[in-house]
Amino acid sequence: MPGPAVRAVWCESAWLDAVGVCDAVRVEVDAEGYVTGVLPGVPVQEGDVVLHGVVFPAAANAHSHAFHRALRGRTHAQGGTFWTWRETMYRAAGALSPTLYEELATAVYAEMIVAGWTSVAEFHYVHHRPDGTPYGQGTGGPHAMELALARAAVRAGIRLTLLDTCYLAGGFGQPPEDGQRRFSDGTAERWLERLGALRETVAAQYPEHQVSVGAALHSVRAVPERDLAVIAGGLPEGLPLHIHLSEQPAENEDCLRATGLTPAGLLRRHGLVDERLSVVHATHATDEDIGLLGDAHAAVVLCPTTEADLADGLGPAEPFRLAGATLALGTDQHAVVDPWLEMRALEHGERLRTGRRGHFDPRLLHGIASSGGARAQGRRGGGLGPGSAADLMAIDPHTVRTAGSARDQLAYTATAQDVTAVVVGGVLMARNGVHTALGDPAALLVAAIARLDAAAVARDKPGRPGSQDTRAWERP
């Protein structure tokens, strides 16, 4: 991580999971950035990083598509559905190059840091050139897009779990569409081969606590059943495995028609449902699916603000928890990059689904946002306990949003605007919305999105009506 190591972080007050909020808490940190001791009621010492307000464990983002950030606020004019939004997303993906993606991802990861996310699982499937030709053939080295994301994460100081994603089909029995060509390795065997080479390359360049590689299957509609069998036999044991699952009713219907099973049932058929599995969304999981995933102690990654933005529906969050699944949160398409709003949306979604309050208390919400997300990434979570990563965020309890709130109920009132400081591995990375190394993430985002817009326009046919419109992602 950037910056010098520190001896300790002193918190004006801090959330200690076992006892609640305590005052004057000194968090001792070792050279690797992990907590070695937590001392409440002690004075600050010279050299300590000082955090004012109430300090909480930082959040772990369990699901991200970094390039989707370029679509925020630009896909609503025509209304539509998830499926029409997806066409717009493909246009953005087609304009990416390694250089553009590194710039955009750096800005997105900086935005995450200042909001209080200190680690991220990047669900990455833009592997090849737009025509499907692998990087490494001709000019440019192999893994160009993947290593661009790794460099972006290191610059921003966020811990990255790069989920290299298998994406082989355009639907059940369908070849990849033109917009999906650069996502596909052609066969499961070639994807496994490239995944193994990528793991070796990343391990040689970065320490695991900074950048690690996991695996993902885009969805059961994008990975044919014959390839699921190959992958089940070829994945390294214990490697984190993520998949979009039952996000849309149409996915369930298509899977039942093609295989006679739900997506979760299809994964079980091939031995892919276990503790290392993280299913993303699971909005339309059946009661049987919930029991299956809960019994396996799989993780369920919920992205409440994205699921609302795309009109996906309200998923069964509390039933999953009661069944034995680990819950985690993600920002997915980055309609919002705010762990506090995701926590609150999780509780509000259950209230709307059931008509009653109080499904997730603050202790549960903070655990889901921090340790749940870290577990889905296969890494140690941030927190204020010995052995935890010293990843922390401080909240101002006296803003117009938080004034009057009980300190142990800030999960129901705070937003990322109230985050006054963020620490990663004991190192101060952000103060009052400004990244200590990169400055204002808004300026980075404006520049990166403008360059991506220009690249998208250049890919359009010359003279196309509206090609210079600043709403570059919207189809006429």
Side-chain angles (χ1 to χ4, degrees):
M1 297 294 168
V6 298
R7 187 159 48 101
V9 178
W10 187 85
C11 310
E12 184 179 20
S13 57
W15 168 280
L16 303 182
D17 188 57
V19 295
V21 177
C22 297
D23 294 325
V25 177
R26 191 167 188 265
V27 182
E28 298 175 333
V29 184
D30 67 16
E32 300 299 317
Y34 294 104
V35 176
T36 59
V38 180
L39 306 172
V42 300
V44 64
Q45 296 185 22
E46 184 178 356
D48 290 354
V49 169
V50 175
L51 303 182
H52 295 289
V54 186
V55 177
F56 295 89
N61 190 341
H63 190 65
S64 164
H65 303 289
F67 77 92
H68 289 192
R69 175 61 181 83
L71 279 67
R72 184 190 295 177
R74 311 175 85 166
T75 63
H76 304 276
Q78 306 300 323
T81 66
F82 164 86
W83 303 102
T84 54
W85 171 89
R86 190 178 72 156
E87 291 303 312
T88 306
M89 179 269 289
Y90 287 158
R91 185 162 182 263
L96 289 170
S97 67
T99 300
L100 286 173
Y101 207 3
E102 181 174 351
E103 181 181 9
L104 178 60
T106 299
V108 175
Y109 294 155
E111 181 183 10
M112 289 182 193
I113 284 285
V114 303
W117 303 101
T118 57
S119 65
V120 59
E122 182 64 36
F123 198 105
H124 168 67
Y125 49 80
V126 189
H127 302 303
H128 308 301
R129 294 185 175 90
D131 65 358
T133 304
Y135 289 99
Q137 295 182 7
T139 58
H143 315 304
M145 295 296 268
E146 291 75 24
L147 294 176
L149 288 167
R151 289 191 298 271
V154 170
R155 284 192 66 202
I158 198 167
R159 305 178 192 272
L160 174 66
T161 301
L162 182 60
L163 299 171
D164 195 85
T165 302
C166 183
Y167 198 133
L168 302 175
F172 291 96
Q174 301 296 321
E177 302 171 10
D178 287 346
Q180 300 165 333
R181 193 175 300 160
R182 71 184 310 185
F183 308 160
S184 177
D185 290 292
T187 68
E189 290 85 354
R190 283 202 290 268
W191 173 70
L192 285 167
E193 182 180 358
R194 189 178 52 75
L195 172 66
L198 175 64
R199 293 182 69 210
E200 291 179 2
T201 298
V202 168
Q205 295 186 26
Y206 301 101
E208 189 174 14
H209 70 83
Q210 188 176 66
V211 181
S212 62
V213 176
L217 312 178
H218 180 271
S219 58
V220 294
R221 68 178 184 271
V223 182
E225 184 172 3
R226 63 182 179 276
D227 294 299
L228 291 177
V230 172
I231 290 166
L235 275 179
E237 186 175 351
L239 192 70
L241 177 66
H242 289 223
I243 186 171
H244 295 124
L245 187 107
S246 294
E247 182 177 4
Q248 289 287 318
E251 177 187 333
N252 286 359
E253 294 162 6
D254 290 347
C255 191
L256 283 165
R257 190 179 303 112
T259 70
L261 296 168
T262 65
L266 183 60
L267 294 180
R268 175 174 60 178
R269 173 186 280 175
H270 293 284
L272 291 168
V273 177
D274 55 25
E275 289 188 355
R276 72 168 174 184
L277 179 68
S278 294
V279 299
V280 182
H281 304 304
T283 307
H284 301 283
T286 66
D287 290 344
E288 184 179 354
D289 295 337
I290 293 169
L292 166 64
L293 294 164
D295 288 345
H297 303 296
V300 177
V301 182
L302 302 163
C303 307
T305 62
T306 286
E307 289 147 10
D309 183 75
L310 296 180
D312 285 343
L314 291 171
E318 186 174 48
F320 268 121
R321 182 181 70 83
L322 296 176
T326 296
L327 298 186
L329 293 171
T331 59
D332 195 356
Q333 58 138 339
H334 316 307
V336 174
V337 176
D338 186 330
W340 299 86
L341 290 183
E342 298 293 349
M343 284 192 285
R344 195 140 65 250
L346 184 66
E347 167 65 18
H348 287 174
E350 283 301 285
R351 294 182 186 187
L352 290 169
R353 192 178 65 82
T354 65
R356 61 182 176 83
R357 306 173 82 210
H359 300 266
F360 296 101
D361 63 24
R363 182 185 62 82
L364 283 173
L365 288 176
H366 288 295
I368 290 166
S370 56
S371 59
R375 189 219 142 168
Q377 295 180 39
R379 64 173 68 249
R380 276 196 258 180
L384 294 105
S388 299
D391 292 5
L392 311 169
M393 57 178 164
I395 286 287
D396 183 348
H398 303 303
T399 71
V400 294
R401 290 163 295 278
T402 60
S405 301
R407 294 188 301 176
D408 61 357
Q409 294 187 34
L410 286 166
Y412 300 124
T413 60
T415 73
Q417 289 177 280
D418 307 309
V419 174
T420 60
V422 178
V423 166
V424 183
V427 178
L428 182 70
M429 294 302 301
R431 282 272 194 207
N432 299 316
V434 178
H435 194 283
T436 55
L438 299 174
D440 182 2
L444 302 176
L445 287 162
V446 167
I449 293 171
R451 275 187 266 278
L452 192 60
D453 282 351
V457 170
R459 282 175 54 85
D460 288 340
K461 294 179 181 178
R464 169 182 163 180
S467 64
Q468 299 305 312
D469 194 316
T470 57
R471 295 171 301 168
W473 305 124
E474 296 208 49
R475 294 182 180 273

